[in-house]
Amino acid sequence: MQPDGEVTTTRASLELLYDISRELTAALDLSTVLRRVITLSMSNVGAVNGSIIVLDNSGDPIEGIINIGDRVIENAAKQLSETLNDGLAGWVIRNQSGVLIADTSQDERWLRRPDDHEKQTGPKSAVSVPLIVHQQLVGVMTLVHPSPNFFLPGHLELIQAIADQAGVAVLNARLFADSQRRARVMTALAESASVITASLDPDEVLQRILSQISEALRVETVFLALVDPQGENLKFAATSAGKDTDFTGLQTKIGEGFAGQVAQTGVGQIITDTAIHEDYSLEFERNIENKIRAIICAPLKSEGEIIGVLEALNPSEGKFDPDALEVLTGIGSLAGTAINHARLYEQVQTTEQRYHDLFQDSIDPILISDFEGNILEANRQAEIFTGLENQALLEKTIRQLLLSEEAIPGLDTGGLNLGDIHSIEAEFTSRDGSSIPIRLYVRSVDVKNYQWIIRDISERRRLDRLREDLISMIYHDLRSPLANIVSSLDVFDTMLPDDGDPAYRSLLNIALRSTERIQRLTNSLLDMSRLESGQPVVNLFPTSPILLAADSVEAVSPIATSKNQIINIKISADIPQVKIDVDMIRRVLINLLENAVKYSPPDGEITLGADIKAEQAIIWVQDSGPGIPAEENEHIFDKFTRLNPTGSQKGFGLGLAYCRLAIEGHSGRIWVDSEPGKGSRFSFTLPVEKD
């Protein structure tokens, strides 16, 4: 059985701990809890001075309180940090055990500062205990009395019991403070996000960023600097210092100075007192009129890339809040994204305006439609060309504007690949009822729309008719005199004696060959006119390809010999006959051979060959010329198209056009296989005579 005195003491201690627990749990504010803990502890053990250091999860001091007599010093974590390294509090933390020092002058664990020398304050007694909650160290409390041996072992037990109660209250208050701080940070960031992203105008975005930082951190001045396109310098972009402040040309190199280091590392920094951080160069910030006392800097980031920095100077309350750097860093991430979006929006606006200007100022009528042909946009030239106002055009479709017997690309022939350009010739009916010939170009500009460019080809059609009329006139006017020339030459041929002057015979042969060539040309012009009008080829006779080839080669041999060229014939003797208009196909072969001679170099080689495939004869002429670009392979068979774009070769560009009409008139086809620098092979098919 316990003595009555001990029972009374135990009951009093329990009542004391109960009262302390109730007192401490009544508050969640960390400063209030620390003040109550130190006050209750000192009053219950008779201590004169005391201190509490609160630690975070990493063991770093985040808050502190000092009670000296009747004076209380809050936010004293920085002042007490020295005792964590070299003093009694540090020993308690490292050992996580309470300690009683009867005489501080006799114990090395007691930190003696200059104002705590024995001749100043004399020896003292002290007790220090850890604040532990569920094996987590949350702080340390130290109580001091100016008289040695004042504290007894019972005091240590009581203080430890109070510390155990206080640890829970301190941890709860610290967690509450963390949650409050986090809430303030999230609120500040949410408000900043709402304000900053409310605009896409670059200048307005910058001003909104500055305004939000000034309001969130309550500072005198805010800087915003952006990394230049070369990635070498930070260049001033905006400030809250006012319009009268001149920041023109203000910049610093990446990696130099306070702002430059943040831009290089991407890690925010804070200087609470510039007087003790002289190692930092603040030239970038010295343009403001106010003296820099404290400064905080955070990176501007967009998609993980540092695009600039934010700086806030001189908080109005004299110091930055503990969460200031976190708030500024969060705003920096939001601001970086907002600035990037504003830049992209500005680029899109500029590109759209440039496209709009090009679209409207184009000399060609341009229409934009969807894949069904509904007109969505029309430029000014389209309005002028059609004679319809913009709104009237937007109510029509592409098909309603055109009179075309051909399938319209994209509408009748399936979808177009992005970027592919197709064209057709069609007729447009104007408002007065007249028909205007047009060339229509269509391409897919994106996944939803087509672009249609209209070219008026009335003038080209008129010129084509003039050329055709001129050629027809030349043909008809040449026939009679040409016939007279041929007859006269035949008479001269019979009049020349066999043993006459060879020079006369040579001149006569030249004249005969030339007139024969003119006859071939005039006959080809006549055939072209007939074939274009739809008349069929009727004079079809079985003919040996070998004889046809030999006759054609003989006709062009003189000009080939003059260039020292060789013409080889590679046709098998057993190749079957073809059913053709002999004169017409002979002229096709002569045209192809003459072109081969013309474009092959001197001493070059030309080959005429034939094969059989699928009951068709394939006849081909291979030259050793410069070749033909792939994009020209189809166009060279069009009328008035020249093989040599430099103009060094003369002619009307009708030879290959005649060849295609003649071969297609025989139900065959003609094509070219060519590679620049390796010559060209012209091939055509003819029907084989069936047994």
Side-chain angles (χ1 to χ4, degrees), residues 272-291:
T272 57
D273 186 354
T274 56
I276 60 175
H277 288 82
E278 296 181 353
D279 53 323
Y280 281 104
S281 171
L282 299 174
E283 291 301 322
F284 187 61
E285 299 81 7
R286 296 194 191 283
N287 288 51
I288 65 168
E289 296 179 358
N290 300 334
K291 184 179 182 301

Side-chain angles (χ1 to χ4, degrees), residues 196 199-210 335 338-339 342:
I196 292 172
S199 174
L200 284 172
D201 178 76
D203 292 334
E204 186 176 351
V205 167
L206 295 183
Q207 292 305 316
R208 285 172 179 262
I209 293 169
L210 299 176
I339 290 172

Side-chain angles (χ1 to χ4, degrees), residues 94 164 369 483 588 650:
R94 290 189 293 274
D164 292 341
S369 80
V588 169
K650 307 300 182 181

Side-chain angles (χ1 to χ4, degrees), residues 343-391:
R343 284 173 169 175
L344 293 174
Y345 179 74
E346 186 176 41
Q347 292 174 6
V348 169
Q349 291 288 88
T350 301
T351 302
E352 184 176 339
Q353 184 60 45
R354 187 182 299 116
Y355 166 77
H356 184 268
D357 292 342
L358 292 172
F359 178 71
Q360 288 296 342
D361 296 339
S362 172
I363 61 174
D364 292 316
I366 302 176
L367 302 170
I368 304 296
S369 80
D370 60 19
F371 283 1
E372 283 73 41
N374 300 305
I375 298 175
L376 306 176
E377 293 183 60
N379 69 351
R380 284 188 289 267
Q381 286 299 324
E383 297 177 40
I384 295 171
F385 178 78
T386 61
L388 299 173
E389 294 184 356
N390 190 269
Q391 186 57 43

Side-chain angles (χ1 to χ4, degrees), residues 314-493:
N314 300 342
S316 57
E317 296 181 358
K319 63 178 180 179
F320 287 108
D321 293 337
D323 53 7
L325 185 56
E326 186 174 0
V327 170
L328 189 62
T329 301
I331 293 178
S333 296
L334 294 171
T337 302
I339 290 172
N340 226 18
H341 287 172
R343 284 173 169 175
L344 293 174
Y345 179 74
E346 186 176 41
Q347 292 174 6
V348 169
Q349 291 288 88
T350 301
T351 302
E352 184 176 339
Q353 184 60 45
R354 187 182 299 116
Y355 166 77
H356 184 268
D357 292 342
L358 292 172
F359 178 71
Q360 288 296 342
D361 296 339
S362 172
I363 61 174
D364 292 316
I366 302 176
L367 302 170
I368 304 296
S369 80
D370 60 19
F371 283 1
E372 283 73 41
N374 300 305
I375 298 175
L376 306 176
E377 293 183 60
N379 69 351
R380 284 188 289 267
Q381 286 299 324
E383 297 177 40
I384 295 171
F385 178 78
T386 61
L388 299 173
E389 294 184 356
N390 190 269
Q391 186 57 43
L393 272 173
L394 300 186
E395 294 173 356
K396 291 185 175 295
T397 66
I398 296 295
R399 207 182 302 275
Q400 289 172 337
L401 292 179
L402 304 179
L403 294 175
S404 175
E405 296 180 358
E406 292 188 50
I408 301 176
L411 301 182
D412 302 324
T413 60
L416 303 179
N417 294 325
L418 194 64
D420 286 353
I421 299 177
H422 295 263
S423 68
I424 62 166
E425 290 192 5
E427 301 290 328
F428 171 76
T429 303
S430 62
R431 296 185 68 180
D432 61 6
S434 62
S435 178
I436 302 175
I438 62 171
R439 168 68 69 173
L440 187 67
Y441 297 88
V442 57
R443 71 185 184 97
S444 177
V445 293
D446 54 39
V447 296
K448 294 183 179 179
N449 302 311
Y450 288 149
Q451 180 191 69
W452 307 80
I453 298 177
I454 302 172
R455 298 273 173 83
D456 186 342
I457 58 173
S458 300
E459 183 65 17
R460 196 203 75 187
R461 288 273 184 92
R462 187 182 70 83
L463 292 175
D464 287 348
R465 283 195 297 271
L466 285 175
R467 278 187 295 204
E468 290 170 357
D469 292 344
L470 177 62
I471 291 170
S472 178
M473 180 184 67
I474 292 173
Y475 163 69
H476 288 291
D477 288 350
L478 280 176
R479 293 190 69 183
S480 294
L482 183 60
N484 293 332
I485 293 172
V486 171
S487 299
S488 300
L489 290 174
D490 287 340
V491 171
F492 279 130
D493 188 23

Side-chain angles (χ1 to χ4, degrees), residues 406-655:
E406 292 188 50
I408 301 176
L411 301 182
D412 302 324
T413 60
L416 303 179
N417 294 325
L418 194 64
D420 286 353
I421 299 177
H422 295 263
S423 68
I424 62 166
E425 290 192 5
E427 301 290 328
F428 171 76
T429 303
S430 62
R431 296 185 68 180
D432 61 6
S434 62
S435 178
I436 302 175
I438 62 171
R439 168 68 69 173
L440 187 67
Y441 297 88
V442 57
R443 71 185 184 97
S444 177
V445 293
D446 54 39
V447 296
K448 294 183 179 179
N449 302 311
Y450 288 149
Q451 180 191 69
W452 307 80
I453 298 177
I454 302 172
R455 298 273 173 83
D456 186 342
I457 58 173
S458 300
E459 183 65 17
R460 196 203 75 187
R461 288 273 184 92
R462 187 182 70 83
L463 292 175
D464 287 348
R465 283 195 297 271
L466 285 175
R467 278 187 295 204
E468 290 170 357
D469 292 344
L470 177 62
I471 291 170
S472 178
M473 180 184 67
I474 292 173
Y475 163 69
H476 288 291
D477 288 350
L478 280 176
R479 293 190 69 183
S480 294
L482 183 60
N484 293 332
I485 293 172
V486 171
S487 299
S488 300
L489 290 174
D490 287 340
V491 171
F492 279 130
D493 188 23
T494 59
M495 293 174 61
L496 282 176
D498 294 337
D499 57 351
D501 191 338
Y504 293 152
R505 175 62 63 181
S506 176
L507 289 173
L508 180 60
N509 289 336
I510 292 174
L512 288 170
R513 286 197 301 271
S514 297
T515 53
E516 182 185 0
R517 189 175 181 189
I518 294 173
Q519 282 183 313
R520 287 201 305 269
L521 176 60
T522 55
N523 288 333
S524 295
L525 291 173
L526 179 60
D527 287 340
M528 286 181 67
S529 179
R530 290 171 177 171
L531 292 169
E532 285 180 330
S533 66
Q535 295 183 33
V537 178
V538 293
N539 299 319
L540 302 176
F541 298 97
T543 304
S544 168
I546 296 178
L547 295 178
L548 180 66
D551 189 24
S552 302
V553 169
E554 183 181 357
V556 298
S557 290
I559 57 174
T561 301
S562 67
K563 296 181 69 174
N564 201 28
Q565 294 171 336
I566 298 174
I567 301 178
N568 300 313
I569 298 177
K570 292 185 178 180
I571 300 177
S572 174
D574 59 354
I575 193 168
Q577 293 184 325
V578 289
K579 195 170 185 178
I580 58 174
D581 181 317
V582 177
D583 182 58
M584 190 177 289
I585 300 303
R586 177 177 178 271
R587 278 185 269 120
V588 169
L589 271 177
I590 290 174
N591 268 334
L592 296 178
L593 287 168
E594 284 182 340
N595 278 338
V597 170
K598 184 187 301 183
Y599 292 103
S600 293
D603 303 318
E605 189 171 330
I606 299 163
T607 303
L608 191 159
D611 299 308
I612 294 295
K613 185 176 182 181
E615 297 185 351
Q616 282 190 320
I618 301 177
I619 300 175
W620 47 269
V621 175
Q622 173 75 50
D623 64 38
S624 53
I628 302 170
E631 61 271 16
E632 298 294 333
N633 285 355
E634 290 296 327
H635 299 303
I636 60 174
F637 294 102
D638 295 338
K639 290 170 66 175
F640 311 116
T641 298
R642 298 294 301 133
L643 279 172
N644 190 337
T646 64
S648 60
Q649 302 290 350
K650 307 300 182 181
F652 288 105
L654 296 174

Side-chain angles (χ1 to χ4, degrees), residues 214-236:
S214 296
E215 184 177 336
L217 301 184
R218 299 183 297 279
V219 292
E220 290 180 1
T221 309
V222 182
F223 278 97
L224 189 153
L226 298 175
V227 177
D228 64 12
Q230 293 74 33
E232 297 177 354
N233 297 300
L234 273 177
K235 195 169 184 179
F236 160 79

